[in-house]
Amino acid sequence: MRTRRTTELLLLIAGAPIVILLFVMMLINSGDTINVENLAVPLGLFLAFIVAHLAVRFLAPNADPALLPITFLLSGIGICFVMRLAPELALRQLIWLFLSIACMILVLVFIKSINRLCRYKYTIILIGVILLILPMFIGVEYYGSKIWVSIAGFNFQPGEIAKICIVLFLAAYLAENREMLSISTRQIGPFRFPDFKTLIPLLLMWGISMLIVVFEKDLGSALLFFGIFLVMIYVCTGRISYVVVSFLLFATGAIAAYLCFGHVQNRVEAWLDPFAYSNSSGYQIVQAFYSLADGGLFGDGIGRGLPTKIPVVESDFIFVAIAEECGLLGAAAVLILFLLFAVRGFVIAGRARKDIDALVAAGLTAAISFQAFVIVGGNIGLIPLTGVTLPFMSQGGSSLLSSFIVVGLLLRTGDNSGSGEAELQRTSIFDSGALGRVALGKRLTLLIALFAVLFAVLIASLTYTMVFRADYLKNLPTNNHTIAQNAKDQRGSILTSDGVVLAESVEQSNGTYEREYPQGSLAAHIIGYYSTQFGCAGTELSANDTLVGNKNYSSWSDALASLAGAGTVGNNVVLTVNSTIQEKAEELLQGQTGAIVVLNSKTGAVLAEASSPTYDVNNASQYLSGKVSGDNLFNRATQGLYPPGSSMKVVTLTARVEQKYDCLYDVYYSPASIEIGGGLITNFKGEDFGQITLLRALEVSSNTVFAQVASQLGAQTLVKKAEAFGYNSSHTTQDFSVATSIMSNYQVMTDWETAWAGVGQPVGQHTDGKNGPLATVVQLAMIASAFVNGGTIMQPYIIDHVLSPDGVITSTTAPKTFAQACTPTVAAQVATAMKGVIEEGTAAAAQVEGAVVIGKTGTAQTSNTTDNAVFIGDGTANGVSVTVAIVLENSTAGAATPKAGELIKTSLQAMGAL
């Protein structure tokens, strides 16, 4: 007896520094003074548990020594986080906490025997059922669950007390009918069952669970009550058949409830795909995921996180708050405490002298442990979210009160079990009590293993979310949580290659930083946006880790400071974009809808990328919120898919040159229209060019000639060559996202489709959604770059290098080859033909004095009345080459050509080549 109580006292003393340290950390991060007055709560709580310890020493001297210290740690962590998350509710919670400790002591004072208490089992179950169904009639609904009763402004959950009543009743009933339940009188298939009358409690619990789901809309309580019952009936009988049948009954009821009731469907659907319901039923769990991702391994520090973005976090999601601010290690420690509670509870059941004591201990232990599993599982997305609370920790008086009453009953049960080794010898395997000690020990050992697995699954799932999936969650465009958290740190700037600041963080009076965009709309689609409400996009998203300082540290101290949760100064990102070229591209698009991309042909560096209509990045929230309509945020350069029109003819020509190197002077007949594959191919404006060479056909952009060439090549050859240039590839760039350009499946293309594909016009319909060719403007630029680069296409990239806050270059992007689209000799042949388009054909307006320009125009028909104007080409001067791709929506033929000439000239001048 003395050893047990001394152990209990030592464990309480060992736990005190942990609880006090949590409060100290909270005070530090809130800027408060660390003194005895501000530490009154943890000190007072410790003294209250010392008083409880003294009460146990005199009232239940043989009780389990670990139960009270575990409860102290859980409730200490809980009250610390309630005070941090909901200070306006902290005083009430504190009162409930001390009242609950007093009630735990009163249980020991007034209840001397569990067996004697359970003699009133029918009165107890009547009270329990009334409490359980009370919310069905006078309950109030919060957040989709109707489990609260409100009287004179005071809210409580009757189900919290009801679960204790149900455990006591079931223990008494099962103890009385243990033999009947163990005897099989009926057989159905491989399963044997007792008389129907003895199965009434099983069916009753099933019925009660279904009523809770239907009328109180609470999946958690239903699952909890049924789980408690399963544990107790297994401990009583050891019959797996009961468990199997119970699961089948519950599964049948759950499926029926899902099919019949909308609130059940909503809860399950929000669990399966919370991000699809992130603005409604899935909001809490999505915000919880963001909190967990920010917590990482070590946490943000108590008071430094943003768990308050989760509605009712102090009650429903207090575990997530602990995980965010104490990290995976702290959250796992809490789960281990609950597992230890389960182990000690089942040990109490194993030491019990009477059946009813063993069943009460097992049931009450299951009530706390399984409830912890259910709420934590819902918090981290392992199971559907429920309305139950986390025992000892969640804000709520009824939850605290019931949890401490459970502890009091467990302490009493443990005390009634006898004293030490001598008692265990008296209750040997020959003792008829406690369900047969050997059998009971095996069942309880299996239950301990089961709960160990359940909590291990929770820790594994938590590890996956907080460590392995964290980066993905942090970088989601909708993750306002991480962005708001990062507002405490100085985010790095984004600059052009010639030093123009496009984005910077400006310190505010409250010590946080606000993102500003000094150039307004310049390079808006490249920068994207950074919003605490709507997330981020563009470079703000793709370079997020670098900008917040999580990567590219300039020193070891930066890395260590980040791991410790200290604020960091982000790194600066320098783009490949030249502000002069970017300004010119945006100027050329004013008043029109379309996009422009300018590349360094030799490296793939993006010199400019413009999309119109555009927007002022400082006002992006107006479009994101819907206050201003329009698709201004849509980046047509990287995400728009356009028919390439006649610019596709350079791909078709490349494939033909590979078949026959000297084909440029082959003669073709170019009528106004021609029938191929049962359909007509027509020239632009119905022109008839007569007999012309293939070279001349490119210069005048003859559809009927290139349709014949495409037909000669065949669908497979044409599609494979398009794929060599980047079509149907999702990995065409290094550091920014581009939509996949589309070519149809050659296996299902008709001759007529192949002919039109060769001239850049998608026709026909395919069930796989691939009706090509359709290309992004980035893809069109990549195609054009190949012909001045020996057939090599470089992967476009937009980040040139990264600077530390001290101005040190920490990383530089190295150019990478995307593909060798064709050989240098083939590329030279096609380039010769493209030069003819500039000098003798449709693109004369793109000529630039002092530079060699090659190119191809395109006119893609988008309807019976509108066309897109397309130009792709390259300009070279003094060893410097730039590639330009332009698409103008709903424009006249050739409208892009003079703009291309202006842009090539400006680009070469900006690069010092002219």
Side-chain angles (χ1 to χ4, degrees), residues 420-610:
E421 186 63 30
E423 185 59 33
L424 288 177
Q425 291 175 1
R426 288 197 298 271
T427 55
S428 66
I429 60 172
F430 303 106
D431 194 306
S432 61
L435 310 173
R437 185 157 302 280
V438 173
L440 175 63
K442 291 180 178 179
R443 296 168 197 171
L444 293 174
T445 300
L446 183 60
L447 283 174
I448 290 174
L450 173 63
F451 275 92
V453 170
L454 290 178
F455 282 96
V457 169
L458 289 180
I459 293 175
S461 179
L462 200 60
T463 302
Y464 171 70
T465 301
M466 299 184 71
V467 178
F468 298 103
R469 199 182 178 212
D471 286 342
Y472 166 76
L473 292 169
K474 287 180 180 180
N475 290 323
L476 285 176
T478 55
N479 188 344
N480 57 337
H481 186 284
T482 300
I483 290 176
Q485 177 74 345
N486 290 337
K488 302 174 184 177
D489 301 323
Q490 185 177 355
R491 188 176 178 86
S493 299
I494 301 175
L495 303 90
T496 65
S497 61
D498 51 335
V500 176
V501 178
L502 300 175
E504 62 183 349
S505 292
V506 179
E507 188 172 7
Q508 306 300 298
S509 58
N510 61 359
T512 62
Y513 291 86
E514 187 173 300
R515 202 65 166 163
E516 293 185 3
Y517 302 91
Q519 309 306 320
S521 62
L522 183 67
H525 292 91
I526 296 174
I527 304 167
Y529 52 80
Y530 183 87
S531 166
T532 56
Q533 181 179 2
F534 299 104
C536 52
T539 303
E540 293 278 29
L541 173 62
S542 62
N544 182 65
D545 285 342
T546 298
L547 290 166
V548 299
N550 290 340
K551 289 183 178 178
N552 301 307
Y553 301 113
S554 59
S555 67
W556 280 104
S557 60
D558 287 349
L560 293 174
S562 178
L563 288 175
T568 58
V569 178
N571 303 286
N572 301 315
V573 171
V574 180
L575 304 178
T576 57
V577 174
N578 180 284
S579 64
T580 301
I581 303 174
Q582 183 68 32
E583 287 173 356
K584 186 64 176 180
E586 293 184 13
E587 175 192 322
L588 293 171
L589 284 177
Q590 283 183 4
Q592 294 192 268
T593 300
I596 290 175
V597 171
V598 183
L599 301 178
N600 182 321
S601 312
K602 304 296 183 182
T603 66
V606 177
L607 303 176
E609 178 197 295

Side-chain angles (χ1 to χ4, degrees), residues 90-167:
L91 179 59
R92 180 187 298 181
Q93 183 76 357
L94 198 58
I95 293 172
W96 271 109
L97 179 54
F98 286 110
L99 179 62
S100 299
I101 295 172
C103 286
M104 177 183 67
I105 296 173
L106 290 176
V107 167
L108 296 176
V109 172
F110 292 103
I111 299 177
K112 300 299 183 182
S113 169
I114 297 295
N115 187 49
R116 191 176 306 165
L117 174 65
C118 290
R119 291 175 184 173
Y120 304 97
K121 59 181 179 294
Y122 292 110
T123 302
I124 291 172
I125 191 59
L126 179 61
I127 295 172
V129 171
I130 290 173
L131 289 173
L132 197 58
I133 66 175
L134 196 61
M136 296 182 191
F137 303 101
I138 61 172
V140 291
E141 184 174 321
Y142 293 109
Y143 303 102
S145 295
K146 192 177 180 182
I147 56 177
W148 283 267
V149 171
S150 181
I151 300 176
F154 174 74
N155 295 335
F156 69 99
Q157 293 185 41
E160 291 288 347
I161 304 299
K163 70 185 178 187
I164 299 175
C165 296
I166 289 174
V167 167

Side-chain angles (χ1 to χ4, degrees), residues 221-240:
S221 294
L223 186 60
L224 174 61
F225 285 120
F226 208 70
I228 293 170
F229 173 74
L230 284 181
V231 168
M232 294 183 70
I233 200 167
Y234 173 72
V235 171
C236 176
T237 66
R239 299 286 294 274
I240 298 297

Side-chain angles (χ1 to χ4, degrees), residues 825-879:
T825 54
V826 170
Q829 278 286 78
V830 178
T832 298
M834 292 174 68
K835 185 179 180 183
V837 174
I838 301 295
E839 296 178 351
E840 304 291 340
T842 57
Q847 295 184 50
V848 176
E849 185 177 354
V852 176
V853 180
I854 65 172
K856 183 68 189 79
T857 57
T859 305
Q861 187 174 355
T862 57
S863 69
N864 292 328
T865 57
T866 60
D867 300 310
N868 290 344
V870 180
F871 178 89
I872 64 171
D874 306 272
T876 303
N878 295 313

Side-chain angles (χ1 to χ4, degrees), residues 560-717:
L560 293 174
S562 178
L563 288 175
T568 58
V569 178
N571 303 286
N572 301 315
V573 171
V574 180
L575 304 178
T576 57
V577 174
N578 180 284
S579 64
T580 301
I581 303 174
Q582 183 68 32
E583 287 173 356
K584 186 64 176 180
E586 293 184 13
E587 175 192 322
L588 293 171
L589 284 177
Q590 283 183 4
Q592 294 192 268
T593 300
I596 290 175
V597 171
V598 183
L599 301 178
N600 182 321
S601 312
K602 304 296 183 182
T603 66
V606 177
L607 303 176
E609 178 197 295
S611 177
S612 181
T614 187
Y615 63 100
D616 185 330
V617 189
N618 296 295
N619 300 323
S621 59
Q622 295 184 3
Y623 294 95
L624 292 164
S625 65
K627 291 180 180 179
V628 177
S629 60
D631 61 352
N632 298 52
L633 298 180
F634 181 65
N635 189 346
R636 287 170 163 80
T638 61
Q639 303 305 313
L641 288 172
Y642 297 99
S646 292
S647 67
M648 181 68 181
K649 290 170 183 171
V650 298
V651 176
T652 307
L653 180 60
T654 302
R656 181 56 181 158
V657 172
E658 288 180 337
Q659 284 186 343
K660 185 181 179 186
Y661 181 72
D662 58 351
C663 66
L664 291 182
Y665 297 98
D666 288 354
V667 176
Y668 289 81
Y669 177 48
S670 177
S673 64
I674 189 172
E675 182 178 323
I676 296 178
L680 283 179
I681 310 294
T682 58
N683 281 335
F684 182 66
K685 293 184 178 181
E687 289 189 80
D688 185 338
F689 297 105
Q691 298 282 343
I692 58 174
T693 64
L694 186 55
L695 174 63
R696 186 59 184 165
L698 186 72
E699 293 172 350
V700 299
S701 200
S702 169
N703 289 345
T704 54
V705 169
F706 274 90
Q708 295 174 62
V709 173
S711 182
Q712 284 180 312
L713 294 171
Q716 182 174 359
T717 300

